[in-house]
Amino acid sequence: MRKPFICGNWKMYKTIAEAVSFIAEAKPLVAGASGVEIGIGAPATALKALADAAKGTNIQIGGENCHWEKEGAFTGEIAPGMLVEAGCSFVIIGHSERRQYFAETNETVNKRVRAALANGLTVIMCCGETLGEREAGKMRAVVADHVKNGLAGLSAADMAKIVIAYEPVWAIGTGKTATPEQAQEVHAIIRGILAEMFGKNVADATRIQYGGSVKPENVKEIMAQPDVDGALVGGASLKADSFAKLVNFGA
Ligand code: PEP
């Protein structure tokens, strides 16, 4: 009932030319993956060219952040409507790198989420604890804080366009993956929080991706967990053949 969603997060990698040639290479490799939703989150400069190159394929393009205002004096920011105009169908919001390096808070995450939804974008909202928080026994509290405050004020209907990405900070870009059991434990906790907030039907229908050093070698066992509905992938999404292996995890 929940269609798996495999999404790349390219972070600050790839020129326009590199992005377009990725699509040319990936297109035939993922064309047969009908049971999976496929996305690439990319730097703003490449979005329009990527969306044009991906037209007519099963690959969706998304931004890696967006502001909550329609326009204004916000140097360096990008409005949700601008992402839509560039051909994006989704946006990643609240990634731990945004929280860690760019002072993103639950409050700004929530504003960005609402603005993205108002512009018709699907939102991948990230949450996850640091190693210190996990070791201090705060994993549950941190994840609940991110999810509850990030989704504050949303309706059950809004949740149709929300995807949650659970990304333990200690597993991002470190090569250290959460075990499938650790991922499942937190995903079940998140689904419980969604049930409290929006009811069981919404919780059961919402996709929860895992992110943190997912690669072709471990994607299958992570995806086999009952509450894992996809993956948000940084490093292993940068090469077309590796990305295609992730997308085709079930083949
Ligand atoms: C990410 O950027 O969201 C991520 C999970 O990165 P990586 O796959 O490289 O750990």
Side-chain angles (χ1 to χ4, degrees):
M1 139 193 188
R2 296 187 297 263
K3 190 173 187 178
F5 186 6
I6 303 290
C7 187
N9 171 23
W10 282 355
K11 312 192 187 205
M12 200 171 70
Y13 289 100
K14 290 200 192 292
T15 62
I16 296 171
E18 287 166 348
V20 169
S21 79
F22 175 100
I23 296 293
E25 209 187 321
K27 217 162 41 173
L29 304 178
V30 303
S34 55
V36 184
E37 211 171 311
I38 306 167
I40 297 283
T45 47
L47 291 175
K48 172 76 170 79
L50 266 174
D52 288 347
K55 224 168 251 166
T57 75
N58 54 351
I59 306 171
Q60 302 172 52
I61 305 301
E64 297 177 8
N65 185 32
C66 71
H67 198 264
W68 51 88
E69 293 290 348
K70 184 171 168 270
E71 59 187 7
F74 302 105
T75 303
E77 288 284 335
I78 184 159
M82 294 170 178
L83 293 181
V84 173
E85 186 194 24
C88 292
S89 60
F90 73 92
V91 60
I92 300 167
I93 294 180
H95 191 280
S96 64
E97 286 151 16
R98 301 286 319 162
R99 294 179 192 259
Q100 201 175 345
Y101 305 127
F102 302 101
E104 194 78 78
T105 63
N106 286 328
E107 192 191 346
T108 55
V109 166
N110 182 247
K111 286 176 161 184
R112 294 181 203 277
V113 167
R114 288 166 179 243
L117 290 177
N119 281 271
L121 291 161
T122 291
V123 172
I124 298 179
M125 193 191 80
C126 303
C127 63
E129 81 288 358
T130 63
L131 185 58
E133 288 164 343
R134 176 168 277 258
E135 287 176 349
K138 294 183 181 155
M139 173 272 282
R140 199 176 278 263
V142 171
V143 168
D145 184 46
H146 287 172
V147 172
K148 285 184 184 165
N149 292 308
L151 301 179
L154 268 59
S155 67
D158 289 333
M159 288 302 292
K161 288 221 160 214
I162 296 283
V163 176
I164 307 283
Y166 168 59
E167 299 206 301
V169 180
W170 47 272
I172 297 178
T174 59
K176 230 189 217 182
T177 320
T179 63
E181 295 73 25
Q182 282 173 320
Q184 170 56 29
E185 181 197 6
V186 187
H187 283 226
I189 290 170
I190 293 170
R191 210 173 295 288
I193 296 166
L194 296 177
E196 276 170 33
M197 293 179 76
F198 302 104
K200 188 174 178 329
N201 288 349
V202 168
D204 285 345
T206 303
R207 287 171 302 173
I208 307 174
Q209 298 172 315
Y210 169 77
S213 299
V214 175
K215 37 189 180 278
E217 296 76 41
N218 61 22
V219 65
K220 203 173 179 141
E221 55 177 3
I222 289 169
M223 289 301 297
Q225 298 302 309
D227 284 298
V228 176
D229 311 310
L232 184 59
V233 187
S237 73
L238 289 168
K239 293 222 164 78
D241 60 339
S242 163
F243 183 66
K245 283 182 188 150
L246 298 170
V247 167
N248 294 313
F249 71 92

